[in-house]
Structures are given as C-alpha cells and as structure tokens.
C-alpha cells in the first residue's frame, strides 16, 4: 500500500508543499528545572524548513504535558 503524502502551505516556499513528520528534542525550563521533551515537527520536503500544520501545536502541548508529568511522577489521566 502506498503511503499517502501530506500537503500544507509552506510559509517559506509560499505554496502548498508536501511535508514529512519528524521527532525533535526541545529543551524547556519549568519551575527552574530544565527538561528535554520529544515533539513532532513538520518539515517541508522542498525547502527543509519547519511548517505550521493545523493541530500540531495542540498535539505537542499534550505530549509535553504527559512527558512532564511522567518525569515529575505526577498522576497522568
């Protein structure tokens, strides 16, 4: 089965472009502690820059919250 290509508007290319989802580690400071969080980013297949994809920010905020709670031993719903 062929993998479906995903497209959205790339602000760098100024046109609709295919993109690939990749994992990325970001450092965030919360309550004077530094944490490494794994997030998902969309990379334009044409120019290689990160793209803003609808829903990705919410997805990453949830992932960061879950990773933070796990790291701090807090209850995860």
């Amino acid at each position: 089965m062929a993998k479906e290509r995903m497209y959205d508007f790339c602000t760098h290319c100024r046109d609709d472009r295919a993109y690939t989802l990749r994992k990325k580690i970001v450092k965030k400071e919360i309550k004077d502690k530094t944490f490494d969080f794994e997030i998902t980013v969309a990379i334009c297949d044409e120019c290689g820059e990160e793209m803003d994809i609808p829903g990705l920010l919410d997805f990453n905020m949830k992932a960061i919250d879950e990773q933070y709670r796990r790291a701090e031993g807090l209850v995860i719903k």
Side-chain angles (χ1 to χ4, degrees):
M1 182 192 281
K3 188 176 181 181
E4 182 180 336
R5 293 195 68 177
M6 300 171 286
Y7 291 86
D8 210 315
F9 186 76
C10 176
T11 57
H12 295 29
C13 295
R14 307 298 301 160
D15 202 359
D16 284 342
R17 297 284 189 234
Y19 63 89
T20 304
L21 296 176
R22 295 196 181 129
K23 297 293 184 182
K24 175 180 174 180
I25 302 296
V26 294
K27 291 188 180 298
K28 298 287 181 188
E29 188 173 309
I30 301 173
K31 297 183 181 178
D32 297 325
K33 283 182 163 179
T34 302
F35 296 89
D36 289 336
F37 295 113
E38 182 180 79
I39 63 168
T40 302
V41 294
I43 304 296
C44 176
D45 290 348
E46 185 76 22
C47 70
E49 295 292 328
E50 288 187 21
M51 296 171 62
D52 295 322
I53 304 303
L56 196 55
L57 178 62
D58 292 336
F59 178 82
N60 284 327
M61 291 302 295
K62 183 178 179 186
I64 287 171
D65 181 61
E66 290 173 358
Q67 292 172 58
Y68 172 75
R69 289 174 174 276
R70 197 172 311 119
E72 291 294 293
L74 302 171
V75 177
I76 298 177
K77 293 181 181 181

